[in-house]
Amino acid sequence: MTQTSRETPKHLFALAGNPNCGKTTLFNAITGACQHVGNYPGITVEKKEGFYSLNGRQIQLVDLPGTYSLTAYSLEELVARDFIVNERPEVVINIVDASNLDRNLYLTLQLLELGVPVVVALNMIDVAEGRGVRIHAEELSKRLGVPVVPTVARRGEGKESLLQAALETARSGARWEPLRISYGPDVDPVLSEMEKIIVENGFLTNLYPARWIALKYLEEDDQIKAKGRETNPSISEALEAIAAKLAQHIQKTLDSYPEAIIADHRYGFIAALLKDGVVEQRIK
């Protein structure tokens, strides 16, 4: 349970979370002075990594930039996503603010849709409880299908239980298994059509799950579309055409656009997830 010098790590974990969720506070509580700060290659985004030893296991932790999603609308989102996809950490420890749970779980869903093994740190539980909110971590864990560990980062509470859960997840050989969410009768058939094309052509599937790629085309993700054009221009063109047709349909019938429909269904999924037995509002 002591911090270690920098040496070849046996486990690579990444910390991901929204800005101001307590992620970096937790990172500092775990790694202390045993950390290194630099930049990601070629850009000015700060890269922080630290080291810890638990039960004889060497752990390397990378504190990813704070981000609200994994759709590459900002440099921070792009950096966080690229690290997860390219470095393939054994576990992503997702820090969520328990006092703002529904908003923070939006990133959690995107991590699960990408398929990466996740352990959730239910942080700031003291703040939530101070507002009369009690969150049943075991029930949330059951519904998400991943470990959920209560923490109070600023006091270092729960950090070893969290790392132990991450180690157990890594040692279990957890595979990348993407979560599948329904996006409604307008979007789901189009996703299935695109997913079939992607799978049949092995289009970017060495990097990403097929359904996730389709979602990114619907969300107008510039990085994924650029990679697609470089990899197979004709397939990328076909997917872009399908996405454009859906966008026209949604604009005409719902006065909306695919990104908004997708976001609405994610928040709907979260609302259903938190119903009846997860979040208890106490009268103070």
Side-chain angles (χ1 to χ4, degrees), residues 20-22 96-101 122-135 150-155 157 280-282 284:
N20 304 313
C21 69
V96 303
D97 176 358
S99 67
N100 196 7
L101 191 56
L122 189 61
N123 195 35
M124 300 187 189
I125 54 169
D126 55 334
V127 176
E129 289 173 357
R131 296 175 181 173
V133 177
R134 182 184 178 191
I135 299 167
T151 62
V152 181
R154 61 189 177 84
R155 298 201 294 259
E157 294 178 8
E280 179 183 342
Q281 182 73 52
R282 297 176 175 180
K284 297 180 66 177

Side-chain angles (χ1 to χ4, degrees), residues 107-125:
L107 176 61
T108 309
L109 288 193
Q110 291 203 324
L111 289 166
L112 293 174
E113 285 187 290
L114 185 57
V116 60
V118 169
V119 171
V120 171
L122 189 61
N123 195 35
M124 300 187 189
I125 54 169

